[in-house]
Amino acid sequence: MLFDVDDLRALNGRYGHVEVDRLLALLGSVIRERCGVGEMGARLGGDEFAMSLLEDEPSEVIREVDHIRGRFGEATDGATLSVGICDGRTLARAPVRPSLLEAADSALWEARKQGPGGLSIFRVG
């Protein structure tokens, strides 16, 4: 899954670049904390982060997303994250198979269209 900080420019204006850098580092730490054995979290660059989970229950994945969003929102007085999710099982059914990253990025674009705090799951077809 991919996370994108909504309206980073406004956060920079409100808190300043040094504090926003600290908040981005905090987000990275929260994502990494939630990773178990064989899972990973990383900052892709700018305000985008990736997380790979082995969890296959959608409700558990959404619970993780909600936890991460909540922690970030508390630290930033309500800043939001847009999230794109790709389930590997869904991807396996795609006639043309993008990479997990490409599929999650496609879902993230759809989430951004929803506005701040959007969430989208990659769908085949």
Side-chain angles (χ1 to χ4, degrees), residues 87-121:
D87 176 356
R89 294 174 301 178
T90 300
L91 191 61
R93 293 191 304 268
V96 176
R97 292 191 184 120
S99 71
L100 279 170
L101 185 60
E102 290 169 327
D105 190 51
S106 175
L108 181 59
W109 275 105
E110 292 302 315
R112 287 180 182 133
K113 290 178 187 176
Q114 298 169 17
L119 183 140
S120 180
I121 300 172

Side-chain angles (χ1 to χ4, degrees), residues 11-33:
L11 284 177
N12 278 322
R14 185 180 339 158
Y15 296 111
H17 293 281
V18 172
E19 181 63 11
V20 169
D21 283 345
R22 188 191 69 74
L23 292 170
L24 292 173
L26 170 74
L27 177 56
S29 294
V30 170
I31 289 171
R32 284 189 305 278
E33 281 172 13

Side-chain angles (χ1 to χ4, degrees):
M1 78 182 84
L2 294 179
F3 295 86
D4 180 68
V5 178
D6 295 320
D7 208 359
L8 185 66
R9 188 170 292 163
L11 284 177
N12 278 322
R14 185 180 339 158
Y15 296 111
H17 293 281
V18 172
E19 181 63 11
V20 169
D21 283 345
R22 188 191 69 74
L23 292 170
L24 292 173
L26 170 74
L27 177 56
S29 294
V30 170
I31 289 171
R32 284 189 305 278
E33 281 172 13
R34 302 305 291 183
C35 292
V37 175
E39 299 174 334
M40 70 121 211
R43 184 176 181 184
L44 294 180
D47 60 346
E48 287 191 358
F49 293 78
M51 183 178 194
S52 175
L53 297 177
L54 298 176
E55 181 58 58
D56 61 355
E57 288 299 321
S59 62
E60 290 300 314
V61 173
I62 298 300
R63 191 171 62 84
E64 289 298 327
V65 167
D66 289 344
H67 177 85
I68 292 165
R69 285 172 147 179
R71 291 273 309 272
F72 187 70
E74 289 170 8
T76 58
D77 293 325
T80 58
L81 300 170
S82 291
V83 183
I85 298 172
C86 177
D87 176 356
R89 294 174 301 178
T90 300
L91 191 61
R93 293 191 304 268
V96 176
R97 292 191 184 120
S99 71
L100 279 170
L101 185 60
E102 290 169 327
D105 190 51
S106 175
L108 181 59
W109 275 105
E110 292 302 315
R112 287 180 182 133
K113 290 178 187 176
Q114 298 169 17
L119 183 140
S120 180
I121 300 172
F122 177 80
R123 304 277 184 219
V124 174

